Amino acid sequence: MALVTPIGVKAALDRLIAALTDPARRGRAVVGVLAVYCGLWALYGAIAKGSQDVHFDMGEMVAWSREVTWGTPKHPPLGAWLVRAWFSVFPLADWSYYLFAMVVATVTLWIAWRIAGHYLDAEKRVVGLALLTLVPFFNFHALKYNANTVMLPLWAATTALFLRSYETRSRLLAALAGVAAAAAMLGKYWSVVLLLGLGLAAVIDTRRAAYFRSPAPWVTVLAGLAALAPHIVWLVAHDFTPFGYAMDTHPGTPLECLWSGVNYVIGAAAYVAPPAVLVGLAAWPGPAALRDIAWPLAPDRRLAVLAFGLPLAVPTVLAIAAHEVVTSLWAIAGMSLLPVVLLSSPMIVVSRAAARRIVGVAIAFPLLALALSPLIAWVIHRQGVPNYATHYGGVARAIVQAWRATTDRPLRFLGSYNNVLYGVLFYLPADVAPLEIVNPPITPWIDEAQVARDGIVLVCPVAESTCMQALAARAARGPVGRRTEVEITRRYFGTDDKPDRFVIVTIRPQE
């Protein structure tokens, strides 16, 4: 009962801060705190998203994970490799996917904690970690695992190793920085923004001559290229297909690209506004402190500011040069240095009372979100979500019934279009492969001869004319087993959502 009183809360927060600042206990304490954080947000995800199915991006990662190659038609392969490793241990279920997504985000927080230890005193380090947990990138957005969220720990690790290798000139750290940079590129090609930013930071830093005369930068480059070599070979063999996808997906006019670059910076700033405001309220920095935050006199801190700021600034120029529209959500992986930037100035003084309040807010945030999660799920159920995302599981069950009514052979292939295809696939048996019927090159691993032998189920929303036309063209090849039109609804808390209608056609396997 003492914990519900202000004095009890104060004492509990002081004990937690003491554990996280004690050199003998902080290693175990931070792992425990982050494990609880991971569990709370994974539980939030399972409940708040309980009235919908997993996002089709998540289903797409699962589909790619079943085709172990050095690349995919859209993105590099590391995200899919990690999914394959996770589901080789955990069941293929919504809750375990949300848990995996939060593990990825939580590992990033641990890396950020390690980085902060080189720049912040013990209590500021605790405050910095608490501030990061208030950034939506590490909770709400992290729950949708895709090529963006996979960058979270990879960017953090690359940044940490780069900074340490720059300071120490260690060949080992330089090599590890190169491998981490390659891993970031294997997560998403957008990571080139990070590498450009870190490269510029190295050039701008006043110690650049000593760094570039040392073996460190060249070891980093060679290690990175060696780690990327198999993927580069794959890209050459496949005519750089993912690059074409990237360039075709976000084109824009010069003005649109410029404006998107500006919005990228503004959006990234908005995401980190809550931590920045809390620091401002806690420390009330004057002009001198603000100048020291923006451009520190200490070279190690200045390099950290450059390593944080330049990857956020590069997209503005890159968007114009590449004629591509960028979005601020892609800044998701660039926040690991935020605590260092906000708190490392000696002019920023955070009192114990302020530290206690910030840590208290960080604890209350996931607890409040968890308390509201059933209401959030109910609102989602009432309002609906795009791309038929409440009905993937129901469509999967209807597909299984239609196939069983057609043949006693196992189902091997599902044909549909992008969003529905990967969303539904997640809820089908693990040996079912996807075929994109609107844009077949997206699923290049499919053998049409095998599809003809084993049969396929085709499914499209009735309202999607392009998909329906592709379904009709595939069905014309026959032999058609069954054609059914089903109405799918989802029941949640005793009520049904708005129904969607789907056409399901089974193509019988060869006898």
Side-chain angles (χ1 to χ4, degrees):
M1 293 296 293
L3 288 179
V4 301
T5 68
I7 295 176
V9 170
K10 176 181 175 181
L13 291 172
D14 282 338
R15 287 194 297 271
L16 176 60
I17 293 172
L20 289 168
T21 55
D22 181 359
R25 295 185 290 161
R26 64 189 177 201
R28 295 188 302 274
V30 75
V31 169
V33 166
L34 290 176
V36 172
Y37 174 88
C38 179
L40 287 174
W41 280 109
L43 183 58
Y44 163 85
I47 297 173
K49 297 178 180 290
S51 60
Q52 61 184 294
D53 293 320
V54 299
H55 193 274
F56 59 85
D57 278 356
M58 300 169 76
E60 187 174 49
M61 280 288 188
V62 170
W64 290 341
S65 74
R66 295 169 182 170
E67 305 294 331
V68 182
T69 67
W70 278 101
T72 78
K74 294 183 179 180
H75 296 294
L78 184 56
W81 295 348
L82 296 176
V83 167
R84 184 182 181 92
W86 179 264
F87 286 121
S88 68
V89 177
F90 289 86
L92 188 67
D94 297 37
W95 69 265
S96 63
Y97 214 162
Y98 295 131
L99 176 60
F100 170 65
M102 282 313 304
V103 167
V104 171
T106 305
V107 168
T108 310
L109 290 173
W110 181 81
I111 296 172
W113 164 267
R114 298 287 297 177
I115 295 173
H118 295 288
Y119 299 90
L120 305 180
D121 64 36
E123 197 155 297
K124 280 187 176 180
R125 190 183 188 189
V126 175
V127 171
L129 180 63
L131 292 172
L132 269 189
T133 65
L134 301 176
V135 178
F137 292 154
F138 295 100
N139 33 70
F140 295 115
H141 288 303
L143 283 165
K144 185 178 79 174
Y145 178 81
N146 58 17
N148 293 323
T149 54
V150 76
M151 293 189 295
L152 280 164
L154 304 176
W155 279 39
T158 302
T159 302
L161 290 165
F162 163 75
L163 291 173
R164 294 299 295 151
S165 71
Y166 195 98
E167 297 289 342
T168 65
R169 317 287 196 269
S170 163
R171 288 180 174 84
L172 175 59
L173 290 174
L176 292 175
V179 172
M185 289 296 292
L186 288 172
K188 187 175 181 179
Y189 299 126
W190 182 248
S191 296
V192 71
V193 166
L194 172 68
L195 305 190
L196 289 173
L198 295 181
L200 286 172
V203 170
I204 294 171
D205 189 84
T206 56
R207 300 162 294 173
R208 57 187 173 272
Y211 176 68
F212 284 106
R213 280 199 300 266
S214 76
W218 318 115
V219 170
T220 296
V221 171
L222 290 175
L225 289 175
L228 273 177
H231 180 63
I232 293 172
V233 171
W234 183 91
L235 283 172
V236 172
H238 291 81
D239 298 321
F240 296 89
T241 301
F243 290 2
Y245 166 80
M247 298 303 292
D248 292 341
T249 305
H250 306 283
T253 66
L255 185 59
E256 288 172 338
C257 295
L258 172 61
W259 184 239
S260 75
V262 173
N263 279 335
Y264 181 93
V265 176
I266 295 173
Y271 279 120
V272 301
V277 169
L278 285 176
V279 170
L281 293 174
W284 290 103
L290 292 175
R291 286 194 298 270
D292 193 50
I293 289 173
W295 192 250
L297 294 177
D300 57 337
R301 289 180 46 231
R302 187 167 57 245
L303 180 62
V305 168
L306 289 170
F308 174 77
L310 287 172
L312 295 175
V314 163
T316 303
V317 178
L318 202 61
I320 300 170
H323 306 290
E324 292 290 305
V325 172
V326 298
T327 175
S328 58
L329 184 59
W330 296 347
I332 188 170
M335 297 299 148
S336 58
L337 285 173
L338 180 65
V340 176
V341 172
L342 291 179
L343 298 170
S344 64
S345 172
M347 299 181 189
I348 297 296
V349 178
V350 180
S351 67
R352 169 53 70 93
R356 192 187 300 121
R357 286 192 292 269
I358 291 172
V359 171
V361 169
I363 292 172
F365 182 38
L367 294 175
L368 177 61
L370 185 59
L372 293 175
S373 58
L375 176 61
I376 293 170
W378 169 252
V379 171
I380 290 172
H381 180 67
R382 298 293 295 174
Q383 294 183 348
V385 289
N387 300 308
Y388 310 96
T390 60
H391 296 149
Y392 296 149
V395 173
R397 290 188 290 273
I399 285 171
V400 170
Q401 292 176 1
W403 185 253
R404 287 175 177 170
T406 301
T407 178
D408 58 1
R409 298 266 292 274
L411 175 61
R412 297 299 186 202
F413 296 98
L414 170 69
S416 188
Y417 82 110
N418 187 32
N419 301 344
V420 171
L421 176 64
Y422 294 115
V424 172
L425 186 77
F426 183 82
Y427 298 96
L428 290 173
D431 52 358
V432 178
L435 172 61
E436 224 307 349
I437 59 175
V438 174
N439 186 14
I442 295 297
T443 51
W445 53 79
I446 297 299
D447 182 351
E448 288 286 355
Q450 188 177 0
V451 173
R453 289 193 302 270
D454 293 341
I456 187 173
V457 172
L458 308 173
V459 62
C460 286
V462 172
E464 302 294 337
S465 59
T466 303
C467 185
M468 290 295 295
Q469 291 169 8
L471 181 148
R474 297 284 310 193
R477 305 180 189 181
V480 173
R482 292 172 59 88
R483 187 186 192 280
T484 57
E485 186 171 319
V486 297
E487 184 175 87
I488 304 295
T489 61
R490 188 187 191 101
R491 179 163 286 264
Y492 188 77
F493 276 132
T495 62
D496 292 332
D497 67 356
K498 180 182 177 181
D500 288 313
R501 298 196 67 81
F502 296 83
V503 170
I504 300 174
V505 174
T506 61
I507 307 298
R508 294 193 305 270
Q510 294 176 356
E511 300 297 336

